[in-house]
Amino acid sequence: MSSSALLSDSLLLTVTGRDHPGITARLTGLLAEAGASLLDIEQVVVRGQLTLCLAVRLPDAPGVRESLFATARELGLSLDIQPAPAPGPAVSSRHVVTLVGRSLGPSEVHAVTERLLQHGANIERLHRLSEVEPGSLEIHVTLPPGRELEPLQRSLLELAMSTSAFDVALQRESLYRRAKRLVVMDMDSTLIRIEVIDELARAYGVGEQVSRITERAMHGEMDYDESLRQRVALLKGLDARVLQNIADQLPLTDGAQTLIRVLKRLGYRTAIISGGFSVAAEALRTRLGIDYAHSNVLEVVDGKLTGRTLGAIVNARRKAELLESIAQAEGILLDQVIAVGDGANDLLMLERAGLGIAFRAKPKLRQAADASISAGGLDTILYLLGLTARELQEVRD
């Protein structure tokens, strides 16, 4: 056909039916032979059922549409041809909502999508990250010009805090969302299930006193440096072997081992930045193959704790500084850093990172973080990176 043949206004071709090899090849081949222009294309297959949409301009020549319908029938498919809708209004930003739970049914999906509707977010794409039943969904949404992101983010956080069935995270869709390179984690009650200082205190018979101070510090009700000094002072005289025994048997948080193993296989750098103690942090670094570990050093004299620490205290400001220092040493942009923590001492670190995640955290930190995880384990973070269950299985194998 002559290249000068007139083309129609844009049309939307919607092809549906049972999926099998060769469908897209046959239809695009026919369009190519006819001299059509391709404006857009999208295809999805759900449980073997295909939906293929093509926005095209067809030559204004007899027989082209008839050939398309005949080919569709031959392939066992239905074809609908309608004028293509005009492009949608401009959008101010694109975002990804990740929904992760044990099992996501209609009520869970409705709860999230209803919040999106209330804040004017339009769903452009929704797909399953989990392998069989929906346990993780990724929803790509757009917001209209002038619509602020913060109210939607706050609404989704409130939803996540109201249930233990699933976690919801909202991220800006950008080059860096799937290009993270460094994951920095708090240790106590994040990478491990315990607070090491509380375990030491219980072993020494000062558990109640230390726990009260710890709780106040975690809620941001007390200066961290002073709280650490007071707690460590209560441990004066404790045999250092007790600390080593605890460090040798640290209970990992659910999903921690999977998270670190996958991150290492994918080439990520990993770090512990903790207000806990170096003996425990170094034990975890060796056990899990973590690249960096920064924490407080307990002074030991004649095999006993002196009740003091050595060097600068790893407080909130120091955590943020260490995050920046590691990123700089590795040549990694802050937008490519994930920080994970559970207490007020982690706030500045989470704010400094491209993605700050509150993990089973106190309300104050959850409200300030980019994302919050409470229902799942640490391996939920892998879904926030956009990885699918199939991709994770490939890495595990």
Side-chain angles (χ1 to χ4, degrees):
M1 178 170 296
S2 169
S3 59
S4 62
L6 294 176
L7 297 180
S8 66
D9 291 334
S10 57
L11 300 171
L12 183 63
L13 282 56
T14 304
V15 182
T16 58
R18 193 69 184 172
D19 186 40
H20 56 81
I23 293 172
T24 306
R26 285 286 304 277
L27 291 172
T28 54
L30 192 155
L31 291 170
E33 291 175 4
S37 295
L38 181 63
L39 307 176
D40 199 357
I41 184 169
E42 190 84 23
Q43 176 175 312
V44 64
V45 178
V46 178
R47 297 294 178 99
Q49 287 297 118
L50 164 81
T51 299
L52 169 63
C53 295
L54 307 100
V56 300
R57 286 195 180 95
L58 296 177
D60 190 13
V64 177
R65 294 194 184 202
E66 288 75 6
S67 296
L68 286 167
F69 280 111
T71 301
R73 287 193 297 271
E74 181 184 337
L75 293 170
L77 304 168
S78 297
L79 170 64
D80 179 68
I81 301 179
Q82 298 289 338
V91 297
S92 60
S93 53
R94 299 180 184 276
H95 303 272
V96 175
V97 177
T98 308
L99 177 60
V100 183
R102 290 180 295 275
S103 180
L104 302 177
S107 60
E108 289 80 12
V109 176
H110 170 73
V112 173
T113 54
E114 180 70 16
R115 297 293 177 107
L116 295 175
L117 173 62
Q118 291 170 3
H119 292 272
N122 182 59
I123 298 175
E124 290 198 335
R125 183 183 177 213
L126 188 156
H127 65 106
R128 173 169 47 87
L129 297 176
S130 47
E131 186 63 20
V132 185
E133 295 182 358
S136 179
L137 297 175
E138 191 171 88
I139 307 173
H140 292 245
V141 303
T142 57
L143 291 175
R147 188 64 63 102
E148 294 293 330
L149 179 63
E150 186 178 345
L152 172 58
Q153 194 164 27
R154 188 165 55 247
S155 179
L156 291 175
L157 174 63
E158 291 170 355
L159 176 62
M161 293 177 69
S162 70
T163 179
S164 60
F166 58 87
D167 293 308
V168 173
L170 175 67
Q171 300 179 68
R172 187 177 298 276
E173 179 66 312
S174 71
L175 171 65
Y176 298 114
R177 187 178 75 89
R178 286 179 60 110
K180 298 293 190 290
R181 294 179 54 200
L182 170 65
V183 179
V184 172
M185 294 159 285
D186 178 43
M187 179 174 66
D188 298 77
S189 298
T190 301
L191 190 56
I192 59 176
R193 297 197 304 270
I194 62 171
E195 294 281 334
V196 171
I197 194 168
D198 289 347
E199 298 300 313
L200 292 172
R202 275 191 283 271
Y204 203 43
V206 292
E208 289 188 10
Q209 299 98 301
V210 167
S211 290
R212 283 196 294 268
I213 300 171
T214 298
E215 191 67 16
R216 291 183 63 193
M218 291 294 287
H219 281 88
E221 299 170 359
M222 185 180 189
D223 174 73
Y224 180 80
D225 291 17
E226 180 59 28
S227 75
L228 182 69
R229 283 191 285 266
Q230 289 185 20
R231 289 177 290 172
V232 170
L234 290 169
L235 301 176
K236 181 179 180 180
L238 176 65
D239 193 320
R241 287 176 295 184
V242 175
L243 173 59
Q244 188 61 59
N245 289 339
I246 291 173
D248 291 340
Q249 304 175 63
L250 295 170
L252 296 176
T253 299
D254 295 342
Q257 201 154 13
T258 298
L259 172 67
I260 300 300
R261 186 191 311 122
V262 171
L263 291 175
K264 286 172 61 65
R265 290 286 296 274
L266 294 176
Y268 284 72
R269 305 295 279 175
T270 54
I272 294 170
I273 300 181
S274 170
F277 304 126
S278 60
V279 173
E282 285 297 324
L284 282 176
R285 187 182 67 80
T286 301
R287 176 178 169 185
L288 297 174
I290 291 171
D291 299 298
Y292 296 89
H294 295 280
S295 55
N296 294 304
V297 180
L298 291 172
E299 183 181 55
V300 178
V301 174
D302 296 329
K304 306 285 186 180
L305 301 189
T306 67
R308 296 187 296 268
T309 61
L310 299 174
I313 290 177
V314 182
N315 54 24
R317 187 173 302 280
R318 181 63 179 151
K319 283 191 170 192
E321 291 170 351
L322 287 166
L323 181 150
E324 286 191 339
S325 176
I326 294 171
Q328 184 175 17
E330 293 287 343
I332 294 172
L333 299 175
L334 292 179
D335 280 337
Q336 295 177 285
V337 178
I338 296 173
V340 189
D342 73 305
N345 195 37
D346 300 308
L347 177 58
L348 295 180
M349 181 173 75
L350 267 60
E351 289 179 343
R352 204 68 55 89
L355 176 62
I357 300 174
F359 181 75
R360 300 179 183 174
K362 306 300 184 291
K364 183 176 180 180
L365 187 67
R366 295 179 70 177
Q367 291 165 5
D370 298 313
S372 175
I373 297 173
S374 295
L378 278 174
D379 52 348
T380 300
I381 293 169
L382 298 170
Y383 288 115
L384 302 188
L385 297 175
L387 297 174
T388 67
R390 180 176 301 174
E391 290 169 335
L392 294 179
Q393 188 60 49
E394 290 176 4
V395 176
R396 292 191 188 105
D397 294 342

